[in-house]
Amino acid sequence: MSIKTALFATSAITGALLLATSATAYADIPVGHLADQSGATSDVGVPYAQGVADALAYINSKGGINGTKLAVDTVDYGYQAPRAISQYKKWSSGSDKIAALQGWGTADTEALTGFVGKDEIPAYSGSYSGHLTDPTGKGPHGSKPAPYNFFYGPSYSDALRGMLMWAAEDWKKQGGQGKPKYVHMGANHPYPNAPKDAGEQLAKELGFDVLPAVQFALTPGDYTAQCLTLKEAGANYAYLGNTAGSNISVLKACQTVGAKVQFMGNVWGMDENAAKAAGSAANGVVFPMRTAVTWNAEVPGMKTLKDISKISDASGNAYRPVHYMAGVCTAFYMKEAMDWASKNGGVTGPNIRKAMYQKKDWVPAGLEGVCVPSTWTDSDHRGMTAVNIYRAQVTGDTGASVADLVNAGTIKLEKLTTVDVPRKPEWLGW
Amino acid sequence: MASVSIIPSGDYKTSYGSDTTIFPTRTSRNFAILGVVLLLACPAFMDRYWLSLLIQIGYLGIAALGLNILVGFTGQISIGHSAFFGFGAFASAWLSNSLGVPVALAIPLAGVVTTLVGLLFGMPAARLKGLYLAIATLAAQYILQDFFARADWFTGGTAGTIAEPLTLFGFAFDTDERFFYVALVALVVMYILATNLMRTRDGRALVAVRDHYLSAEIMGINLTKYRTMSFGISAFYAGIGGALYAHYLQFVSVEGFTILFSIQFLGMIIIGGLGSIMGTLMGTAFMVFLPEAMQALTKLVSGTALDTALNLKDNIAFLREMSIGLVIILFLVFEPDGLAHRWKQIKAYWKLYPFSH
């Protein structure tokens, strides 16, 4: 009987707690933060979300938005769009309606586009799908209006376009004969698929022979079969549409099989952790980077970043990968927009959106040299079209910690070039 | 066992009708009506967060009831229920998006379409039992999940599909306050339907199949017919639940309908009480509220002395998942007959008080 009593006491207490927490009202600026800490993209989702969370906590520690603090609710949605939507519905309701959203994946962000537009809640996503760049829905490729969607970085499509332009040059430079063969790889999921058509279209125009796309899951696995396909088809350039974790599996399998392909990761496809995990298989992979520098660079903005990093790492010794830094930049663009909004009519969704259009080629204060200057207009949400292409270099055994490997130069992210992708109107929303 | 309601001592029923009445006394019926009336007033004083939980209980409760008819009343097993739930969701979205069927009509139609799919997958049920049947339904889960990801025309593929909100005479049920009534009406109708089903000849046949299929067959019950039928009914309920879910969330995407979700449905009916209609609702409510309560609890612990002392940090999120598992295990050990049984005992206790021993 006593255990049963205990059971009932527990449920009564949890019930009471539930009531208590739901009654908590926000006196500050509510911000929703969707993070993938346990789902298919958590390998890169964790450092990015940490960057966002640390940045927002840091902003609060410095007095918030003109004295008003942000009430951030970070929720792990496990990379499941329906969960993200039901969470969003909670956030967008009642008196504590969120002023802005820090989002994550492509499937959920695209699904939420209509909702955030209707509710006028600016959504800063970790998805750079080209579909989110068209605020008016007038793009010629049938894009839907996404007036309240923002992201920091080149769109997936523009990043791929930039890499293809580089690849076309690279092929000539290497003395390649005939048409180079290009293949799109990734899971059958909105995120890897987002730039597929745009990439294949441009590849054809640039003189590539476009091979049928190759699928591999978002989770790590054995992708030997895919690599054999690449080898047999004689692919020269392959786009890896997934996040680092599953890309590593492909890189390793292809190294084993001996497929000599120039891999091009997307912004989430490569980072310091992935280079360590993949070891020599990651050597030579090119990818676009969103920030101007990596963690050990000496630019003015790094001071702020190091301070922000101390929020979750008191020792100040942690090495932060590129995704962490991108998360900080994203959070700070939102912060500056909120600053402007608070002085110009209050921190509301429409005001934050308006604030995003106030400056040209801007970098949030304190992050000079880290975030790449970006511009948003009310008809074009392609914040940046400059694609900084980097190459991962792994020159030895990767047994040590990432910080040590980077310091020793075993892992290096080396800048190849910057490709300025033209801001063509027909590419808007595509 | 002690009687659970205030009726005179002794059994004075003289007709089958009075023996199979839904509410044993007038008071119990009035209380049920009062409960529904109170629920009707909920949107006036509850915020959208609470309403969304109640709506979840609504559509999940309907789907779980379908599973309980199959598992609890007929004694069959299914671990592919979420796939049927998903099929109903996609079917309703597809019917309204592509064929222009009004949403109000698409929801019941989705139930019918899902019934057909359920009957198809239920066919092996006519011959299989126990573990074999479980694996057959597992196949249904995977086949349908794969179908969802590939059938672009039907589901929008991996990108998912938009489901228009339910509109009646130009009035859109697109907020939680409004959709709450849709869920409530659907829940009441579907639960009354199931309650009545169990009082009919067919319903009793299902129970007979569960209790002893050999005896049932000797009594002249067509096992094949009733087992397959049970699958159909179960799929119908899942389809309706799924369709409501689709038009509530206004978006359907394949990743939600996993085997884990199917197991959750099983969890709902086991915790609520197998073979109990009221228990199904209690189990669903339990499974909806538990993660929320645990979330609140972990949030409360986060940042406190306990958090720092145990160095929980990021692991605090997992604490929630673990405690959900623990509570379910505790239930199975200490209350295997479910919440419905517990509720009966509580009522009996108060009725007999202070002479409970």
Side-chain angles (χ1 to χ4, degrees):
Chain A
M1 194 66 196
S2 63
I3 288 174
K4 288 181 183 173
T5 322
L7 254 179
F8 278 95
T10 323
S11 18
I13 291 168
T14 41
L17 281 174
L18 201 67
L19 276 171
T21 38
S22 71
T24 321
Y26 289 111
D28 311 316
I29 303 167
V31 173
H33 178 200
L34 279 176
D36 178 15
Q37 290 161 331
S38 59
T41 59
S42 56
D43 51 341
V44 292
V46 170
Y48 178 84
Q50 192 69 59
V52 173
D54 284 359
L56 297 177
Y58 175 82
I59 292 163
N60 273 347
S61 74
K62 298 281 168 193
I65 306 297
N66 288 329
T68 314
K69 293 210 168 152
L70 300 167
V72 185
D73 189 11
T74 303
V75 170
D76 170 25
Y77 77 109
Y79 206 55
Q80 290 187 3
R83 267 172 77 179
I85 292 174
S86 57
Q87 182 58 48
Y88 169 80
K89 287 201 155 191
K90 282 178 203 166
W91 278 334
S92 60
S93 68
S95 54
D96 52 356
K97 179 178 151 179
I98 53 168
L101 176 74
Q102 285 285 339
W104 176 243
T106 301
D108 39 287
T109 306
E110 290 198 8
L112 278 173
T113 298
F115 292 102
V116 296
K118 201 173 118 199
D119 296 335
E120 302 186 320
I121 294 174
Y124 294 80
S125 62
S127 164
Y128 309 148
S129 166
H131 307 141
L132 304 169
T133 58
D134 183 6
T136 54
K138 287 182 186 148
H141 280 275
S143 50
K144 293 192 191 94
Y148 277 85
N149 286 90
F150 297 93
F151 57 77
Y152 162 75
S155 74
Y156 292 146
S157 306
D158 282 342
L160 178 51
R161 287 180 182 118
M163 286 193 293
L164 282 167
M165 289 175 190
W166 166 82
E169 288 296 312
D170 182 63
W171 181 251
K172 277 183 223 156
K173 228 184 268 173
Q174 308 282 340
Q177 300 296 315
K179 277 183 154 187
K181 288 178 180 163
Y182 165 74
V183 61
H184 180 99
M185 296 178 74
N188 185 17
H189 196 272
Y191 149 59
N193 281 337
K196 184 169 172 282
D197 293 343
E200 289 182 345
Q201 177 73 33
L202 183 71
K204 270 181 209 154
E205 287 171 22
L206 289 171
F208 284 86
D209 201 358
V210 177
L211 303 175
V214 174
Q215 280 193 10
F216 68 107
L218 266 173
T219 44
D222 177 14
Y223 299 121
T224 312
Q226 280 85 340
C227 287
L228 284 171
T229 311
L230 287 188
K231 196 180 173 187
E232 277 163 25
N236 304 107
Y237 294 90
Y239 175 73
L240 292 173
N242 290 1
T243 55
S246 64
N247 289 349
I248 292 167
S249 307
V250 172
L251 294 172
K252 285 192 163 174
C254 287
Q255 193 186 33
T256 315
V257 169
K260 288 199 171 43
V261 185
Q262 172 64 58
F263 285 107
M264 304 183 290
N266 70 358
V267 285
W268 301 109
M270 183 49 63
D271 63 0
E272 294 87 335
N273 294 329
K276 170 182 155 55
S280 58
N283 194 28
V285 174
V286 300
F287 71 104
M289 208 165 79
R290 289 150 290 175
T291 44
V293 289
T294 55
W295 191 248
N296 287 339
E298 285 174 7
V299 290
M302 281 312 291
K303 196 199 159 294
T304 316
L305 262 172
K306 299 257 154 111
D307 284 347
I308 292 170
S309 172
K310 281 185 192 145
I311 297 269
S312 61
D313 170 50
S315 70
N317 295 329
Y319 181 91
R320 303 292 192 177
V322 290
H323 308 310
Y324 180 91
M325 297 168 69
V328 172
C329 284
T330 313
F332 265 73
Y333 275 105
M334 180 185 84
K335 182 239 175 203
E336 272 203 7
M338 284 180 165
D339 278 340
W340 185 90
S342 81
K343 289 176 200 146
N344 292 278
V347 189
T348 62
N351 283 343
I352 296 172
R353 176 174 181 246
K354 218 186 279 172
M356 292 298 289
Y357 305 144
Q358 295 305 312
K359 288 188 254 181
K360 268 189 176 171
D361 290 326
W362 55 299
V363 172
L367 293 174
E368 292 81 8
V370 176
C371 308
V372 175
S374 305
T375 310
W376 289 270
T377 69
D378 57 2
S379 58
D380 190 342
H381 280 193
R382 288 178 284 192
M384 68 167 98
T385 46
V387 181
N388 291 317
I389 299 180
Y390 277 67
R391 189 204 299 269
Q393 281 185 344
V394 183
T395 48
D397 182 55
T398 51
S401 74
V402 172
D404 291 343
L405 290 169
V406 174
N407 288 335
T410 315
I411 290 178
K412 230 161 126 185
L413 301 180
E414 168 212 25
K415 185 168 178 179
L416 288 181
T417 177
T418 301
V419 179
D420 273 308
V421 177
R423 202 178 273 269
K424 289 189 183 172
E426 64 266 30
W427 284 352
L428 182 65
W430 188 36
Chain B
M1 201 188 95
S3 170
V4 293
S5 53
I6 303 162
I7 40 176
S9 174
D11 199 345
Y12 297 112
K13 284 164 188 159
T14 51
S15 67
Y16 282 124
S18 63
D19 199 31
T20 56
T21 174
I22 297 178
F23 299 107
T25 61
R26 191 172 290 178
T27 325
S28 63
R29 189 188 59 200
N30 289 345
F31 262 107
I33 294 170
L34 181 72
V36 174
V37 171
L38 280 178
L39 278 172
L40 283 172
C42 275
F45 59 87
M46 277 188 178
D47 66 5
R48 269 175 73 180
Y49 170 69
W50 281 95
L51 287 177
S52 75
L53 292 182
L54 291 182
I55 292 169
Q56 264 187 57
I57 295 172
Y59 60 71
L60 291 178
I62 290 172
L65 182 57
L67 190 63
N68 213 346
I69 290 173
L70 184 69
V71 181
F73 286 102
T74 322
Q76 302 287 86
I77 181 87
S78 167
I79 44 178
H81 204 60
S82 80
F84 295 114
F85 183 80
F87 196 90
F90 280 122
S92 191
W94 177 71
L95 284 167
S96 63
N97 290 345
S98 302
L99 302 186
V101 179
V103 174
L105 212 62
I107 294 175
L109 264 180
V112 175
V113 179
T114 315
T115 309
L116 298 177
V117 178
L119 286 174
L120 190 73
F121 281 104
M123 278 199 274
R127 297 182 187 282
L128 300 177
K129 283 202 312 278
L131 205 55
Y132 297 91
L133 181 59
I135 300 301
T137 56
L138 187 68
Q141 169 82 41
Y142 281 111
I143 290 170
L144 285 177
Q145 237 180 294
D146 195 59
F147 171 72
F148 295 155
R150 284 170 204 276
D152 269 358
W153 57 274
F154 183 58
T155 63
T158 48
T161 181
I162 300 286
E164 295 299 326
L166 171 65
T167 322
L168 270 183
F169 310 112
F171 185 80
F173 292 88
D174 55 356
T175 63
D176 286 22
E177 288 82 2
R178 293 171 181 182
F179 198 85
F180 174 78
Y181 292 106
V182 178
L184 183 62
V185 168
L187 185 79
V188 170
V189 169
M190 297 301 278
Y191 269 66
I192 290 177
L193 276 179
T195 311
N196 278 322
L197 172 73
M198 288 310 146
R199 301 194 303 159
T200 61
R201 200 182 159 82
D202 288 334
R204 289 200 302 274
L206 293 180
V207 175
V209 171
R210 174 195 68 189
D211 285 349
H212 202 290
Y213 72 94
L214 209 57
S215 313
E217 199 168 18
I218 291 166
M219 284 163 70
I221 291 170
N222 185 342
L223 289 185
T224 310
K225 177 185 153 194
Y226 281 107
R227 280 181 177 155
T228 321
M229 188 177 97
S230 180
F231 253 92
I233 296 169
S234 156
F236 178 72
Y237 272 80
I240 297 283
L244 288 169
Y245 159 83
H247 295 290
Y248 167 58
L249 212 57
Q250 293 165 41
F251 175 75
V252 202
S253 125
V254 55
E255 66 249 50
F257 312 115
T258 56
I259 178 138
L260 212 67
F261 194 22
S262 291
I263 304 291
Q264 261 177 2
F265 275 124
L266 277 173
M268 286 173 202
I269 60 170
I270 290 171
I271 287 175
L274 286 173
S276 162
I277 289 180
M278 180 183 64
T280 311
L281 197 57
M282 294 169 105
T284 312
F286 186 85
M287 286 291 264
V288 170
F289 283 132
L290 183 67
E292 301 296 323
M294 288 302 167
Q295 171 91 21
L297 203 67
T298 44
K299 240 181 201 169
L300 227 64
V301 175
S302 151
T304 60
L306 192 68
D307 183 4
T308 26
L310 296 175
N311 198 16
L312 293 170
K313 273 188 189 167
D314 300 342
N315 301 328
I316 215 154
F318 299 103
L319 218 62
R320 182 191 135 197
E321 312 288 328
M322 281 160 62
S323 33
I324 293 172
L326 182 70
V327 172
I328 291 171
I329 293 173
L330 286 176
F331 246 99
L332 294 181
V333 173
F334 294 108
E335 194 54 277
D337 288 335
L339 286 167
H341 180 239
R342 170 61 38 189
W343 175 239
K344 274 181 194 157
Q345 284 187 329
I346 291 172
K347 282 205 296 191
Y349 174 84
W350 286 109
K351 185 164 176 274
L352 300 175
Y353 188 84
F355 306 111
S356 54
H357 296 292

